[in-house]
Amino acid sequence: MASAPFISSSEPTKVDASNISSIKAFPIPSSYHSLAEPDDIVDVTEELAASIPVIDFSLLTSDDLKIHTKAVHELAKACSEWGFFMLTNHGVPESLMQELMKKTHEFYNLPEEEKEEFGDDGDPLSPIRHGTSFHPPAESFNYWRDYLKLLTSPQFSFPHKPPGYREVAFEYNKKINGVARKLLQGISESLGLESDSIIDSSDSDSGLHIMGVNFYPPCPQPHLALGLPPHSDFGFLTFLIQNGIGGLQVKHEDKWLNVNPLPNCLVVNIGDQLEAVSNGRYGSVLHRAILNNKDTRISLVVVNGPARDKEIGPAPELLEKEKPLFKSIKYCDYLLVQQKSQLSDGRTLDQIRYSSQ
Ligand code: OGA
Ligand code: NI
């Protein structure tokens, strides 16, 4: 639990948020008031949330062709109707996930000076970046989050403290990469492509994978601010786990839904690169993180992706019968477009979309 020394939330603030390295240390300034309508947070459909798809990984990886084929079919449905699902029986040990959470708490409890060496230089390809908010140079509001962003593949980069954190994270990423590989095969099949088509064409075995560690302390005025603004993720797939505290919301049929993950599942969503490869069949979902005023929330995301210099666009097999919706672009260039784009520009994918004639 964070021991954030907040002062009364109703006091006017004189804090200049632009110079602050951690959101733990100050009350909520108006630059955080990103929710114009407090009702934004309340307009949530709980009935729909209950129907978020569940994909059983053990069925997808079954040797029994009938079981596997049925699971691929369910995966296709989850990807096209939701772009978002909970993955059960994935084989990533619960103890490993718990240990990773524990070490993350320890990292955030290090004194600020100890974290300074990891400061974000604004380059999306820097191996280790620690900071606060969303994309600090491009945003007009601040967001109530501290983050660590790590390049975990092709080279594994991770802070060397607290002791053991790096090793646990390495193990975790290895496991997630194994799961991601099988899912990408299932997704290729579900699109009518060869099983290894996406993996081979993107060289994702040497892909650029980024891990994000999100730390959301309690916010004294959670109805005014957000942990993360609505956004889509840039990679193929995002894998999320959290410390038992909710806050993730997904936009589905124009409504925000709370995601209350099943115990020990991996929450998976489609990212921009898969929307491009699937030529729009599988949408990269908008999601955001809301706040609460009681508990510190931690979420860990792994975003897997193509190799940095691979040009990614709609799969050629799909273009035999349809027009491309997106231009092909190198993954590293896409990341730069994303990093530079103002949030108000809408989705980064729109910048590589062909305008409809
Ligand atoms: C992200 C993200 C959501 C969450 O890091 O890209 O969407 O619930 N996180 O923390
Ligand atoms: Ni995200």
Side-chain angles (χ1 to χ4, degrees):
M1 208 67 49
S3 51
F6 293 119
I7 60 167
S8 159
S9 56
S10 57
E11 263 171 48
T13 174
K14 298 188 188 67
V15 182
D16 173 7
S18 58
N19 294 326
I20 289 172
S21 61
S22 167
I23 53 175
K24 277 167 123 181
F26 60 95
I28 180 166
S30 57
S31 61
Y32 279 80
H33 296 195
S34 49
L35 284 169
E37 299 288 334
D39 282 355
D40 268 4
I41 227 94
V42 182
D43 182 22
V44 166
T45 308
E46 292 300 342
E47 315 89 75
L48 269 178
S51 49
I52 288 174
V54 177
I55 298 291
D56 185 334
F57 189 70
S58 66
L59 301 183
L60 189 68
T61 52
S62 169
D63 292 335
D64 182 324
L65 191 61
K66 229 166 135 188
I67 296 177
H68 170 74
T69 307
K70 185 159 177 277
V72 169
H73 183 74
E74 275 164 20
L75 184 61
K77 197 159 148 40
C79 291
S80 60
E81 292 177 6
W82 287 79
F84 186 89
F85 53 89
M86 302 191 230
L87 192 69
T88 56
N89 296 321
H90 45 68
V92 182
E94 194 184 330
S95 54
L96 184 60
M97 300 199 266
Q98 283 170 352
E99 189 59 19
L100 187 60
M101 277 297 168
K102 189 170 144 240
K103 291 285 170 200
T104 300
H105 263 284
E106 287 175 25
F107 176 85
Y108 275 104
N109 283 334
L110 292 172
E112 285 315 312
E113 316 82 79
E114 294 243 16
K115 288 176 269 187
E116 264 165 21
E117 65 179 288
F118 307 122
D120 193 349
D121 63 1
D123 177 351
L125 296 174
S126 286
I128 301 185
R129 295 181 285 153
H130 177 248
T132 188
S133 207
F134 184 54
H135 288 313
E139 62 201 5
S140 40
F141 288 108
N142 297 119
Y143 296 93
W144 200 261
R145 164 186 85 146
D146 284 353
Y147 63 82
L148 251 183
K149 293 178 193 167
L150 310 145
L151 272 192
T152 52
S153 164
Q155 272 88 44
F156 182 77
S157 317
F158 214 83
H160 51 87
K161 53 188 159 185
Y165 194 17
R166 186 186 159 87
E167 288 72 17
V168 176
F170 182 80
E171 269 315 299
Y172 179 73
N173 276 280
K174 207 164 78 182
K175 295 275 186 209
I176 293 289
N177 290 345
V179 175
R181 205 170 189 284
K182 296 274 186 208
L183 270 184
L184 283 180
Q185 290 174 327
I187 286 175
S188 286
E189 290 174 37
S190 79
L191 290 167
L193 311 175
E194 291 294 323
S195 177
D196 283 336
S197 167
I198 297 177
I199 292 174
D200 289 347
S201 62
S202 65
D203 196 10
S204 73
D205 284 338
S206 310
L208 201 66
H209 303 333
I210 294 179
M211 182 170 181
V213 179
N214 300 311
F215 181 87
Y216 308 97
C219 176
Q221 294 168 295
H223 55 290
L224 291 180
L226 283 171
L228 284 180
H231 67 280
S232 64
D233 294 336
F234 44 81
F236 280 143
L237 291 166
T238 301
F239 297 83
L240 177 141
I241 58 172
Q242 61 183 21
N243 65 338
I245 306 296
L248 173 61
Q249 292 189 328
V250 166
K251 195 146 205 186
H252 180 72
E253 294 175 353
D254 246 14
K255 290 259 192 262
W256 287 109
L257 309 184
N258 288 327
V259 180
N260 302 316
L262 296 169
N264 301 318
C265 77
L266 299 171
V267 176
V268 184
N269 66 268
I270 301 284
D272 294 351
Q273 299 300 307
L274 264 186
E275 179 164 344
V277 167
S278 69
N279 204 28
R281 276 181 184 68
Y282 297 163
S284 168
V285 216
L286 277 184
H287 53 284
R288 67 182 186 180
I290 62 165
L291 301 163
N292 76 79
N293 57 10
K294 291 195 204 70
D295 299 307
T296 293
R297 172 164 187 260
I298 292 177
S299 67
L300 303 169
V301 298
V302 174
V303 177
N304 77 336
R308 54 172 291 162
D309 291 322
K310 276 282 172 191
E311 219 169 75
I312 304 298
E317 297 90 325
L318 300 179
L319 299 183
E320 286 165 14
K321 294 207 188 98
E322 58 199 65
K323 288 203 171 119
L325 295 182
F326 304 101
K327 298 168 196 160
S328 295
I329 175 173
K330 274 189 189 174
Y331 188 42
C332 56
D333 292 336
Y334 188 79
L335 292 178
L336 289 174
V337 174
Q338 197 223 18
Q339 184 80 356
K340 285 207 192 90
S341 61
Q342 295 282 342
L343 293 169
S344 56
D345 289 345
R347 301 173 65 211
T348 313
L349 260 185
D350 290 339
Q351 302 193 31
I352 60 159
R353 192 185 297 274
Y354 285 112
S355 46
S356 48
Q357 286 92 24

